Structures are given as C-alpha cells and as structure tokens.
Amino acid sequence: MMYEIIVFLPLLGFLFAGLWGANVEPRTSELVTTIFLGLSCLLSWFAFFGFAWSADPHALVVPVANWFTSGKLAVDWALRIDTLTAVMLVVVTTVSFLVHMYSIGYMHEDDGRPRFFAYLSLFTFAMLMLVTANNLVQMFFGWEGVGLASYLLIGFWFKKPSACAAAIKAFVVNRVGDLGFMLGIFGTFLVFGTVSIPAILAAAPHMGGSTIGFLGHRFDTMTVLCILLFIGAMGKSAQLGLHTWLPDAMEGPTPVSALIHAATMVTAGVFMVCRLSPMFVASPTAMHFVTFIGAATCFFAATVGTTQWDIKRVIAYSTCSQLGYMFFAAGVGAFNAAMFHLFTHAFFKALLFLGAGSVIHAMHHEQDMRFYGGLRKEIPLTFWAMMAGTLAITGVGIADVAGFAGFYSKDAIIEAAWASGTPLGQFASVTGIIAALLTSFYSWRLVFLTFFGAPRWAGSEHIRHALHDAHGAHDPDAAHHDAHHDHAATGTAGYHPHESPVSMLIPLGVLAAGAVFAGMVFNHWFVGLSGAAPFWNGALVVNRELAEAAEAIPLYVKWAPFAVMLLGFVTAWYAYMRNPKLPAAVVEQIGVIYDFVFHKWYFDELYDVIFVRPAFWIGRKLWKLGDIGVIDRFGPNGAAWVVGKGSEGARKLQSGYLTSYALVMLLGLVAAVTWTMGGVVR
Amino acid sequence: MSGFPILTLMLAVPLLGALGCLASDAPRARMIALVATLVDFALGLVLWADFQVGGAQWQFTERLPLFSGFQWALGIDGIALVLILLSVFLMPICILASWDAIEKRVGEYMAAFLLMETLMIGVFAAQDLFLFYIFFEAGLIPMYLIIGIWGGADRIYASYKFFLYTLLGSVLMLIAMLWMANEAGTTDIPTLMHYDFPPGAQNWLWLAFFASFAVKMPMWPVHTWLPDAHVQAPTAGSVILAGVLLKMGGYGFIRFSLPMFPEASAHFAPLIFALSMVAVVYTSLVALVQHDMKKLIAYSSVAHMAIVTVGLFAFDRQGIEGAMVVMLSHGLVSGALFLCVGVIYDRLHTREIDRYGGLSINMPAYALLFMLFTMASIGLPGTSGFIGEFLSLAGIYQLSSWVAAVSTTGIILGAAYMLYLYRRVAFGDQTHSDAARMPDLSVREWAMLAPIALVVLWMGVHPESFIAPFRADVAALDARVAQARPASDAGLTPPAAGLVQAEAR
C-alpha cells in the first residue's frame, strides 16, 4: 500500500489543484499539493532504507491493473521497487517536495498558481510512474508524461512567444528521441516476445552473436536495440545532437528548471540505461556509442557554459555537461558511478537553480549576469547556498579525507573511465578532466560576476521597471527605450535587493546540506569496493573488476581533477576579480572561436536551415503543387474538364439539382441490385 | 441474444425519427432528433451489455428472405459492435452541436442526420453483400446533402468532388460483388469470408474493392476530397465524416479485402505500405502549413488513417487490433477536435487560425479540453490515441522495420503541427479584441465535449473494455490470413535465439 501512496498521492494533488483549484483560494492548492508531496517524500525515504541493503535479491512488484493486451503483447500497470527505483524515488520526491515549497514563495505574485502546482504534481506523478515501471511501455508512459508536464511548464507563461516556442521545441525534439525509443520497444518485443523488463534482462545476456534485420541490413541484435533505446535517452537527457531544447527550456519558471530540467526528468535517460544495464553490456558497440556521445556532450556543453551571460543558461549548459559525465560512466560500465553522480547532481544542481531563482527574485526578474555584481552582502544566505552548490559541482575535496558531493561522484567517473583501459574510455576520461576545468571556470565565473565586485544593477531594464513601479511613475515606453543600451552602467541605481522569504530559504538549506554531505555519506554504498554489491543488490550491473582497476590508476590521473579544479578557480578569479578587462581582451584575440562557442556551436542555426525551414517549404510545395497542382488538376477537376464543360462544370451543379442527383443515384443502385439478383443468384 | 430483432429496431428508430422531423417545425425537429439518437444510444448500450465476449462469432443475427435470394440479413461480430457503438455515441453529440448552428431547414437537416445514422448502423450490421452495398453507398447521400445544402461558401465544389471520387470506386466495387456472388453462389458475408477465391481472380477483386475503400479511408493520393469536404461541411457533418464515414474504408478492408482475398492482400501489401508511408509524411507536412483549422485537422486525419492501413496489412494480432483502436480513437478525437473548431467558429465565424490567440485566458475550460484532445491526437500515453498507434506500429515492425520507421515519424510531425496549431489558438497574447471577448463553454458545449473526453481517457487507461469484444474476431482473421503472411524483413536468425524466445514466452 505504501508504494501506491507514494506514486498516486501526487496524482491526487494534481487532480485537486487542476480541477478544483479555480474554486478555492490559491493557497489551498499550494498547501494540498505540497503536503501530499511531503508525505510521498517521507514514505520514499522509508522505502529507500527498506530496500537498499535488503537481503532479498528480487525486486518487489506491486501489481495495479492490466493496461492492455494484444496477442502475446501484455502490458500491465505495476510498481517495481528495487534499490535503483528506491534511489530515484527519494531523489524525485525530495527535490519535488522542496521545489513545491520553494514555489509558494517564488510564485506568490502569479495568478496561475493552482495551475502551476497542478503541473508540478502531474510531473512528479509521471516521473514516479517512469522510475517504477516494470515494463518498457509503462516506462514510455512516464517518459511521455514528464514530457507533457515539461511542455506545459516551459510554456507556463504562455503569453510570451519565446516561452511558447521553447515549449514546442522541447516536445518535438524529445519526440525525435521517442522515435528511437518506440522502435527500440518494437524491436525488443520482436526479439524477446515480451516488454517485461525482468524477462528481457534475464534473456539479454544470451543474445550475444545473434543478428537482426533492420532497415534492409543485418546487424548485431543487441546493438540495434540498445542504440535505438539510447536515442530515446539522448532526447530526454539532452545529449549532443538532441540537446537544443534544454537551454531554451529555461523560459519556464526557475523552480521548474530546478526540478525538471536539472534534477529529475533530464536524468531519466541515465536511469533508463542503468535500468537496462544487462542489455547494454551485451553490446560493446552500443556501450562505445554511449561513451562517445556522453564524452562529446560533456565537453561541448562545458565550452558553451563558459560564454553565456544568462545565469540560468550557464547552469543549463552545466546540466547538459554533467549528464554527459553520467552517460560516459555508464558507457564504460560504471553504472553505479553514473547513478551516484545522478544522485549528488540532483542535490547540488537543484540547489544552484533554486539559488539562481533566489537571485533572480531579488533582482526583479533580471537574469543577465552583466547586471549583477556585489550581491554577496545583500542576500548573504543565498550567497552561502550558492557557494555550497559551487563547491559541490566543481568537486572540491581531498581524496580519502573529505569532500563536497560532486567530488566523490565526478572523481569516481573519471577514474572508472580511465580504468576501463580502452582507448575510448581514456579519451572519455581526458575529456572529463578538461570539462572539469571548464566546469570550475564557469561556476566560479558565475559566482564572481553575481556576488562579488561592484554592483552593475543600474543598466538593467528590469531594475528600472522595479524602480519606476516603486515610485508610482509607470512609464513602460520610457523604460523600453533606454533599456540595455548602456552595458557599462554601474551602481545600484538606488535599488535594494531583498533576501528571499523563509519558504524559499528552507529548501536552499536542505539542498545545501545534501550538496555538502551526500557524497561523503553515500560514497561507500554507491561506488565503494565492498559496499556497492550489497547496496545495489542486483538492481544494476556492478562491475567489480572495473572498480578494482579504478583503485589502481596512476596518481596523475587521480589528482588531475583536483588540479584542474584549482586551475579553473584561479583563472576565473584572475579574469573576473583581479583583472576584469582580461575577458574582453581574450575575446578580442580569439574572435572566431569565441563566436562559435558563444553561438552554441551554431546547432540551432544549422537545424533551422536543414530541418525547420525545409519542412515548412516542402509542406507548402506539396500542398500547392502536389495536391492542388497535380492531384486535383488531373483528378476531379480534370474529370470535369473531360466531361466537356471545363472547370465551369463544377459550378453549374446547383443545390436544387443535388436532391435529384442523390435520388437518381439511390434508385439506380436499387434497380441494379434488384435486376442482378434475379439473374445472378440462382 | 433472444430472438428480439434489436438491430432492426436500431435501424428503425432513427428512420422513424427522420420522418417525424420532416413533418415538424424547427424546435420540435431538434427535440425529436435528440430523443431518437439518445434512444439509439441506449439500445447500443444494451447491445454492448448483451454481447457475449467469447460467445458465437456472429450475434444478434436476423434473417428475412425478401425476394429472389435477396435477404434482410443482419448480425454483428465484435468489430461491428464497437463501430456501431462509436456511431450511436457520436450521434446525439452531433445533434447538440447543430442545436443553434443550423437555422435554415432544420427539419430536413435533422432528418438527413437521422437517415445517415440508420445507414451507418446498416453498413456495420449488414450480413448480405448487396444489403451492405446499399447501405454503404446510400450513406453518402445524406452527407452529400448536408455538405451541399448546409455547407459553407464553396459547398458545391466540395460536394461535387466528394461525389466524383466516391463514384468511381463504388462502380468497380459493385461489379466485383456481382462477380463474387456469381462465383460463390451466395451473398452471405460470413460464408464469403471463408470462401477461397482463385488467386488470379483475387487480385482483380481486391483492386476493385480497394478503389472504393481507398477513397473512403482516404488514402493518398485520393484524399483531396477530404479537406474540401471538411471545410465546407457544418460542424456536425465534419464530426460524422471524420468519426464514422472514414471508418467504413477500414471496416471494408477488415471485413472484405483481408478475409476474402488473403493472398491478394499479401500481394498488394507493398502498395498499401508505399501509399501509407507517403501519406504519413506528405500530409503531415501539408498539415503544418495550413491556415484553416479544419483543413489542418482534415490532413491530420489522412495521416492517422495511414496508420490504420499500415496496421491492418501487418498480418498480425497487434497490427490489426491496433488499427481497430486507431479507428475508434480517431473517431472520438478528430470528432472532438472538429467540435472544438465548431465551438469557436460559432462565436467568431471564421476558421482562420490567425484570427484567434490567447484563448487560454478567456476560455480556460475550452483550452483544457482542447489540450486533452490535442494530446490524444498526437498519441500521448494515457489517452486513446497512444494505444492504437503503439499497437499498429508494433504490429508492422514485426513485418517490416522500414515501414515501421517511416510511419513512426508521424509521432514527430504530428506533435509539430498539432502543438503549432494549439500554440496559435490557445497560447500567445490576446491580439484580437473580438476573440478575447468570447465566452467560455456553455452547458450544451460541455455536454458535447466532456463525454468524449471521458471515453478518450477511459480507452487510454483501460482499453480492455473496448478491445475484448473484437479480440476473438481479430484472432480468427489473423488465423485466416496467416498462411499468406509476407516474410518479415526483421527476422531474427541466430542459432540460439529461437531457444531464448521460447523461454521468454
């Protein structure tokens, strides 16, 4: 019963706020959804402690109902609980609960609050269905459900054209990944005759060496299936090529970015690969593919993160990059390290986003870091929370002594990749080290630009709006005209940022505690040499040889992440604190490269030229030339012309004739049938 | 299952209602039509409740010889049952949708609708070849009148096009039926479904039926009558056209082409696949650039119907059952989408997408239901759209990964054009003051849309209620066509695989 409550309470909250929210005070909807999530979260922690370390190697499967059955394709609603699920349950419900609570403060001025909280709870329900799935189709249900919630929340401020565009982009790009996922499910059903996850995982190891036809060629069976499924993961987890929706998704309210686009939904792809780890290890080619995509994304996104000015976009690219780490960890076979990074990342990335939200809240919706500066003293609690997050993501820590959360998980990944011994694994490891340098640089850059130096608030359009409103002299036109013109404007312009309310600070505090301690507390169990096997208990493939090899890697690899972390910090400090003219000078020097990186490697522009515009152009051509120009011209219109009346023929049929036409037709039919009956059927 | 002729009664009720409407003034005609359709719906529920799942294949059978071998032969299997249910469910909703929208010649209009209901039920219930033919072709006449008399400005061109396309197909089908009756010596459909026609003849017969069903479906490239017909038809006409009339093509394939000509069906499957793959990509792209809401949804119908044909010719359980569910789901969802268009058309009298915008602000309930149907249309799991699409595509993948891969791109393109439509209608800021003043749903409009919404969710979460009646029929069909099944291009050929597959089962 406990597991049903965990999963379905958020659904009840969604139904209440969504259907009944308009009839009650917004505060009621906020409290109902938040309290439901709090209960769900509490029970999840019970489930976690009950399941991890349990002696029983079998997952608990709670049947709910039959969904659909067709031939031997039988799909049930059921909740599957094992250690992997339990980890996801606590991550999802904890972050979701904190985000619900945070949103009470953050969204307090918004008229659409019941709708907002309904969507948050809907998301949580779908995510829980995803992580408790016992078959691939229920996983797909959750997969698409979180996609819907993400779409609705990105487009929450639906009056903004940019929010609507971002919402559609997120949904459609994810559907490209879903094409792979669906074909992967179909292929899995073809090969295994079932979509039940335990049955597939039991049979997968025996499939080595078999081949299957796909698109007219023959391939290794498990390679085809795993790569198809992984394409789904690439869409949901914003990996290189299908990543373009994630930065745009920052159009949604900041709590949404923290919950969906950092801590939970975007990690669904990593979860899927780990859940299906026995399938993936059956195909070395697919594992290489995963490693390569992960490493490439990790590097690509980190480079872009160093150049962005929007505080949320920096963190968004950071998320993309960290997901890359998780994937290449999975690709080299360190699934437990991938899950460990997923776990710690959920805390510190949610913290960074909620901290950024607190900054944005204080700065009256300004998101451009060029208009921040000197906020350390104005919003000290937010500052310290962000510091905890930054120390965690940059991986500050000393081996075998102590460290922040990211230190343990990121080092485990880099070490495992190196220890895998393959050239690709070592390439991934080096890429991970370079990305760690960039991570350290952009994270400290964010901190220095936001919290240190002199205030640069005067140039901000949003701040001017705030001041205008405060003085009762509301003149939007004037504010529009001189906004953003003077980037060099410094000073406070008389604005006083305020620290956020308690309901926003408590989640920051809890997550900060997670960012500081999660690594130290759980390191032994998630990835420890002796702790991992009993902890995971067969829920994913734990590669003991790899873990042993990781203990024995050269010292220069072991210390490299630490060194680059320091280097990134010093560089950022020098460039943004010591010598603030330096970045502009560097940009001057490497103009072309900077432009390339600043424009996100021109992915959006490329896709616009090769996909979006052609789709509309071809659509218009098919319509005007295909349907009207050819089919109609030589079809019905041509027939009319042949009859001898030209296209005028059509117009001469008048409604008065219609009835007689119809009557003649009916009578003719009856006559024909009657006549033939006499002769034919005898 | 008693001897009571419930099917005849279901045909008679709307027919009597139609006569009543012709003799009444407008308010009374509306009332008569509503009552008659509700009575038929209630009879449909009785039919559903009395239908023995796992019982005889043909139930509620009636036989009454009329003259010279021509007989009044009715009876249904599960496939016909669910399609009849769809028809009688949509009918009262159509009457409600026409309540205020139709002002001229109300009596005749209601009579035409009721007549159409009789004919639609007749198509699905007929067990005699020629009885089927009469219902099938005559069903066009009321629709032809509805478009031609109560349609929009270009109604004549639209109804002419509709007529011309369907005419060719029906002539060929009639000839084929005559030949079949002569060859088999019977016009009894259940018997013919087990009659083995010579393979050489099958091809010609199959093509003749195909000409009729492909137009009805409609399949690319004989689809161009559909957008025009939809655009010109009144709202309720579009609902029935999309909801039920398009299903007659699929019903034809499942009732005639597949069981009567299995070898020819296998032979021509590549043709079906080619046309369907083109349709999915082509009409989805065309839908993307439409400015007229009804045209957009009409083109989307062509793409969805292509999934039906792909599933039907997959020659396996998942494909055929999936195709059935797509038909039911599309009947509900596209019907509901046309109703959604009608709701705002009634307020602003334009179907131009750009004349709307920001309706979420002044019509939140409308925006909610429109969102639900949009999501059902793009096959979101949890709605009816997903089940059918998933099963059809899973079915075809077993036969051809190429066809599956191309057809599945429909989930990307479908999301693109539907969300783009929704964004322009319901999202964005309010840019037109008249659109911004439109009131939210009335009680009558709630009564039209809410039942469909409930069924869409029901079918999405627990489709078993709808699949169970026709499972045995699809299994029988699957067994009938099994020996003709084309070879799969995705076959698994490892030494160990057969063993593993056996284990997994």
Side-chain angles (χ1 to χ4, degrees):
Chain A
M1 197 58 209
M2 182 167 93
Y3 305 104
E4 284 99 322
I5 294 174
I6 292 173
V7 174
F8 290 105
L9 261 188
L11 178 67
L12 284 181
F14 156 67
L15 292 174
F16 176 83
L19 297 178
W20 201 245
N23 304 337
V24 292
E25 287 289 306
R27 180 48 56 90
T28 314
S29 295
E30 292 169 11
L31 289 179
V32 167
T33 52
T34 309
I35 290 168
F36 279 11
L37 239 301
L39 287 172
S40 191
C41 174
L42 194 66
L43 292 174
S44 295
W45 280 98
F46 280 116
F48 177 71
F49 286 110
F51 257 90
W53 306 285
S54 87
D56 183 5
H58 296 288
L60 173 74
V61 177
V62 184
V64 177
N66 170 257
W67 187 5
F68 61 90
T69 308
S70 176
K72 63 187 161 105
L73 176 61
V75 180
D76 286 332
W77 298 109
L79 308 178
R80 173 198 174 89
I81 323 282
D82 57 11
T83 306
L84 184 59
T85 301
V87 169
M88 292 305 287
L89 283 182
V90 295
V91 167
V92 172
T93 55
T94 306
V95 178
S96 178
F97 169 59
L98 294 173
V99 164
H100 272 78
M101 188 201 269
Y102 179 94
S103 303
I104 294 177
Y106 190 83
M107 299 297 286
H108 72 96
E109 284 174 339
D110 202 286
D111 293 332
R113 274 169 291 165
R115 191 164 59 90
F116 182 78
F117 281 83
Y119 292 167
L120 283 185
S121 287
L122 171 67
F123 166 79
T124 311
F125 165 68
M127 190 73 201
L128 293 174
M129 289 300 277
L130 194 167
V131 301
T132 56
N134 196 38
N135 63 63
L136 290 175
V137 186
Q138 185 182 327
M139 190 187 275
F140 192 70
F141 167 85
W143 195 265
E144 292 279 280
V146 293
L148 167 68
S150 165
Y151 162 81
L152 292 170
L153 284 164
I154 295 168
F156 180 74
W157 287 313
F158 59 80
K159 288 187 204 172
K160 276 167 74 184
S162 57
C164 294
I168 295 180
K169 186 172 173 183
F171 202 98
V172 173
V173 174
N174 266 292
R175 279 265 160 146
V176 177
D178 293 348
L179 169 69
F181 195 170
M182 278 183 87
L183 292 177
I185 297 176
F186 302 153
T188 306
F189 174 62
L190 175 82
V191 171
F192 297 102
T194 176
V195 290
S196 157
I197 289 173
I200 295 167
L201 298 188
H206 310 293
M207 296 305 294
S210 65
T211 64
I212 192 175
F214 184 69
L215 302 187
H217 299 275
R218 298 205 71 79
F219 300 100
D220 178 68
T221 306
M222 295 315 290
T223 302
V224 171
L225 300 185
C226 290
I227 288 182
L228 284 173
L229 292 168
F230 180 65
I231 290 171
M234 284 172 67
K236 198 57 82 199
S237 295
Q239 294 299 287
L240 192 62
L242 296 179
H243 67 281
T244 55
W245 64 273
L246 183 59
D248 288 19
M250 297 300 124
E251 288 289 340
T254 307
V256 173
S257 312
L259 174 61
I260 301 184
H261 304 121
T264 57
M265 182 186 86
V266 289
T267 62
V270 181
F271 167 77
M272 183 235 259
V273 172
C274 290
R275 169 59 88 212
L276 303 178
S277 49
M279 274 181 92
F280 279 82
V281 293
S283 167
T285 313
M287 292 288 272
H288 289 157
F289 185 66
V290 174
T291 308
F292 178 76
I293 293 287
T297 309
C298 165
F299 174 72
F300 152 77
T303 61
V304 180
T306 59
T307 59
Q308 300 300 304
W309 290 113
D310 184 315
I311 187 169
K312 286 182 70 182
R313 285 195 180 241
V314 174
I315 309 177
Y317 277 105
S318 162
T319 304
C320 198
S321 169
Q322 301 297 314
L323 291 166
Y325 276 104
M326 300 175 207
F327 276 115
F328 81 69
V332 299
F335 297 101
N336 50 343
M339 281 307 294
F340 190 31
H341 199 52
L342 187 160
F343 182 74
T344 59
H345 176 258
F347 289 106
F348 64 69
K349 191 50 69 66
L351 173 63
L352 287 171
F353 262 121
L354 293 185
S358 183
V359 172
I360 294 165
H361 190 255
M363 292 300 284
H364 212 267
H365 307 301
E366 179 57 73
Q367 295 185 192
D368 192 323
M369 295 191 296
R370 282 171 293 193
F371 303 117
Y372 289 171
L375 286 168
R376 184 175 78 251
K377 300 192 191 77
E378 310 287 337
I379 45 174
L381 295 172
T382 303
F383 166 68
W384 284 110
M386 288 293 272
M387 280 300 287
T390 305
L391 292 168
I393 191 175
T394 55
V396 174
I398 301 190
D400 305 326
V401 182
F404 292 89
F407 164 73
Y408 291 96
S409 51
K410 192 187 288 182
D411 279 17
I413 288 174
I414 291 171
E415 287 166 15
W418 185 272
S420 71
T422 61
L424 187 62
Q426 296 190 336
F427 160 76
S429 185
V430 172
T431 313
I433 291 169
I434 297 171
L437 169 67
L438 297 169
T439 306
S440 176
F441 175 76
Y442 66 65
S443 301
W444 289 111
R445 171 177 176 264
L446 184 153
V447 169
F448 293 141
L449 280 172
T450 305
F451 294 106
F452 290 86
R456 300 179 297 276
W457 315 336
S460 163
E461 179 188 354
H462 295 274
I463 297 295
R464 290 183 203 188
H465 264 297
L467 294 170
H468 272 289
D469 288 350
H471 297 141
H474 191 70
D475 187 359
D477 287 336
H480 268 294
H481 284 305
D482 48 24
H484 283 300
H485 278 180
D486 187 7
H487 282 181
T490 53
T492 64
Y495 182 73
H496 295 289
H498 291 288
E499 186 60 281
S500 300
V502 181
S503 67
M504 290 167 66
L505 292 175
I506 291 173
L508 288 180
V510 175
L511 289 170
V516 175
F517 298 111
M520 278 183 271
V521 174
F522 290 100
N523 183 38
H524 175 64
W525 302 110
F526 276 76
V527 292
L529 208 49
S530 60
F535 175 78
W536 290 107
N537 207 358
L540 46 66
V541 175
V542 176
N543 188 337
R544 197 181 156 82
E545 293 80 53
L546 186 64
E548 277 166 1
E551 297 281 304
I553 58 165
L555 269 185
Y556 61 85
V557 180
K558 209 171 180 58
W559 284 92
F562 183 77
V564 297
M565 180 268 293
L566 276 185
L567 183 61
F569 169 75
V570 171
T571 314
W573 174 78
Y574 187 78
Y576 291 95
M577 299 292 291
R578 188 65 209 273
N579 185 2
K581 293 206 167 54
L582 182 68
V586 173
V587 167
E588 197 77 12
Q589 286 292 314
I590 56 160
V592 180
I593 299 174
Y594 177 81
D595 279 347
F596 180 69
V597 175
F598 182 71
H599 289 105
K600 311 144 208 163
W601 296 25
Y602 292 105
F603 268 100
D604 280 322
E605 288 79 0
L606 180 72
Y607 286 176
D608 192 50
V609 171
I610 63 175
F611 295 123
V612 181
R613 283 161 195 270
F616 280 87
W617 185 82
I618 294 170
R620 266 189 296 275
K621 289 293 169 206
L622 290 176
W623 179 31
K624 296 288 187 192
L625 292 180
D627 269 21
I628 298 171
V630 177
I631 297 175
D632 278 356
R633 186 163 161 220
F634 298 107
N637 298 355
W641 185 83
V642 169
V643 167
K645 300 198 171 183
S647 60
E648 294 298 304
R651 304 212 179 93
K652 293 207 173 140
L653 294 167
Q654 292 185 0
S655 63
Y657 292 101
L658 264 167
T659 344
S660 41
Y661 257 90
L663 195 64
V664 168
M665 187 175 146
L666 181 60
L667 288 176
L669 289 176
V670 174
V673 171
T674 319
W675 175 74
T676 52
M677 295 319 300
V680 174
V681 185
R682 257 302 91 94
Chain B
M1 288 299 281
S2 56
F4 185 75
I6 186 168
L7 289 172
T8 301
L9 183 63
M10 286 183 76
L11 293 176
V13 168
L15 200 60
L16 292 175
L19 293 175
C21 284
L22 284 176
S24 308
D25 58 351
R28 239 181 84 198
R30 289 188 186 112
M31 227 38 229
I32 292 173
L34 186 62
V35 169
T37 52
L38 283 173
V39 167
D40 241 24
F41 177 53
L43 288 171
L45 293 179
V46 171
L47 208 60
W48 194 10
D50 276 1
F51 188 86
Q52 306 288 316
V53 174
Q57 185 184 5
W58 301 99
Q59 305 187 14
F60 308 104
T61 48
E62 300 170 24
R63 289 289 185 278
L64 181 66
L66 292 177
F67 51 90
S68 63
F70 184 76
Q71 58 174 353
W72 181 254
L74 299 179
I76 55 171
D77 61 354
I79 293 169
L81 171 76
V82 291
L83 290 167
I84 289 176
L85 284 176
L86 176 68
S87 314
V88 295
F89 174 69
L90 286 176
M91 234 21 207
I93 293 170
C94 286
I95 302 297
L96 283 178
S98 314
W99 207 258
D100 297 328
I102 301 299
E103 286 161 346
K104 65 168 186 175
R105 302 167 80 172
V106 177
E108 284 100 324
Y109 176 89
M110 294 295 172
F113 257 90
L114 291 171
L115 175 63
M116 193 151 62
E117 177 167 26
T118 298
L119 298 171
M120 288 184 319
I121 298 170
V123 165
F124 299 127
Q127 288 206 310
D128 180 276
L129 208 52
F130 291 106
L131 193 58
F132 169 82
Y133 184 77
I134 291 173
F135 285 131
F136 189 80
E137 293 304 331
L140 297 178
I141 296 169
M143 180 48 72
Y144 187 49
L145 295 174
I146 287 164
I147 296 173
I149 298 174
W150 292 277
D154 257 343
R155 57 183 183 268
I156 304 303
Y157 176 68
S159 53
Y160 151 78
K161 216 166 162 180
F162 179 58
F163 175 79
L164 201 67
Y165 265 114
T166 44
L167 183 73
L168 176 75
S170 50
V171 169
L172 293 174
M173 187 169 78
L174 181 63
I175 296 168
M177 284 179 165
L178 292 171
W179 193 91
M180 285 161 69
N182 195 26
E183 162 79 17
T186 177
T187 56
D188 186 50
I189 290 176
T191 314
L192 287 167
M193 283 169 69
H194 291 96
Y195 188 86
D196 294 315
F197 289 99
Q202 276 196 20
N203 287 349
W204 294 108
L205 295 172
W206 189 93
L207 281 173
F209 276 84
F210 172 73
S212 180
F213 300 148
V215 168
K216 277 277 170 35
M217 220 49 219
M219 294 178 73
W220 186 87
V222 288
H223 65 283
T224 63
W225 62 271
L226 186 70
D228 283 318
H230 269 310
V231 164
Q232 299 305 327
T235 301
S238 289
V239 174
I240 284 301
L241 189 56
V244 185
L245 290 189
L246 298 193
K247 307 300 162 303
M248 292 184 179
Y251 180 74
F253 281 126
I254 212 169
R255 179 66 79 232
F256 297 90
S257 306
L258 282 167
M260 295 184 193
F261 325 120
E263 282 80 20
S265 295
H267 181 70
F268 287 111
L271 170 71
I272 295 272
F273 296 150
L275 296 181
S276 304
M277 287 192 289
V278 171
V280 168
V281 177
Y282 181 114
T283 53
S284 295
L285 288 172
V286 173
L288 198 57
V289 297
Q290 296 305 310
H291 308 292
D292 182 307
M293 281 188 259
K294 275 185 144 184
K295 260 198 173 146
L296 193 154
I297 300 168
Y299 275 109
S300 86
S301 292
V302 183
H304 281 117
M305 288 299 109
I307 302 292
V308 172
T309 45
V310 157
L312 286 177
F313 285 84
F315 284 82
D316 54 30
R317 296 276 296 272
Q318 289 81 29
I320 300 170
E321 281 178 13
M324 279 301 297
V325 181
V326 176
M327 287 206 274
L328 295 178
S329 167
H330 178 264
L332 296 167
V333 174
S334 69
L337 286 172
F338 280 117
L339 288 171
C340 283
V341 174
V343 164
I344 51 179
Y345 180 83
D346 287 347
R347 287 162 174 66
L348 216 57
H349 297 286
T350 175
R351 294 178 311 266
E352 191 72 23
I353 295 169
D354 293 338
R355 286 284 287 109
Y356 298 93
L359 295 190
S360 296
I361 300 165
N362 53 316
M363 301 176 74
Y366 172 78
L368 174 70
L369 287 171
F370 189 20
M371 170 58 76
L372 174 70
F373 296 128
T374 299
M375 284 298 153
S377 172
I378 61 186
L380 192 85
T383 65
S384 58
F386 171 71
I387 307 289
E389 203 173 81
F390 182 84
L391 285 176
S392 305
L393 294 170
I396 191 61
Y397 188 97
Q398 317 297 309
L399 189 64
S400 166
S401 53
W402 258 116
V403 181
V406 174
S407 307
T408 310
T409 58
I411 70 166
I412 304 170
L413 297 168
Y417 62 72
M418 282 312 291
L419 294 181
Y420 187 43
L421 168 70
Y422 190 83
R423 182 243 174 284
R424 287 178 288 170
V425 172
F427 284 168
D429 212 346
Q430 295 169 318
T431 43
H432 301 282
S433 60
D434 48 357
R437 279 195 307 272
M438 299 196 303
D440 208 345
L441 297 179
S442 68
V443 174
R444 178 178 61 83
E445 287 160 343
W446 266 108
M448 285 154 34
L449 293 172
I452 305 184
L454 291 178
V455 179
V456 163
L457 289 173
W458 178 6
M459 203 183 285
V461 176
H462 190 68
E464 186 62 19
S465 320
F466 305 90
I467 298 178
F470 61 77
R471 178 167 289 130
D473 302 308
V474 171
L477 178 61
D478 184 46
R480 166 92 178 138
V481 299
Q483 92 279 2
R485 190 175 197 267
S488 166
D489 79 341
L492 190 67
T493 56
L499 204 132
V500 172
Q501 214 171 357
E503 273 171 21
R505 270 176 218 157

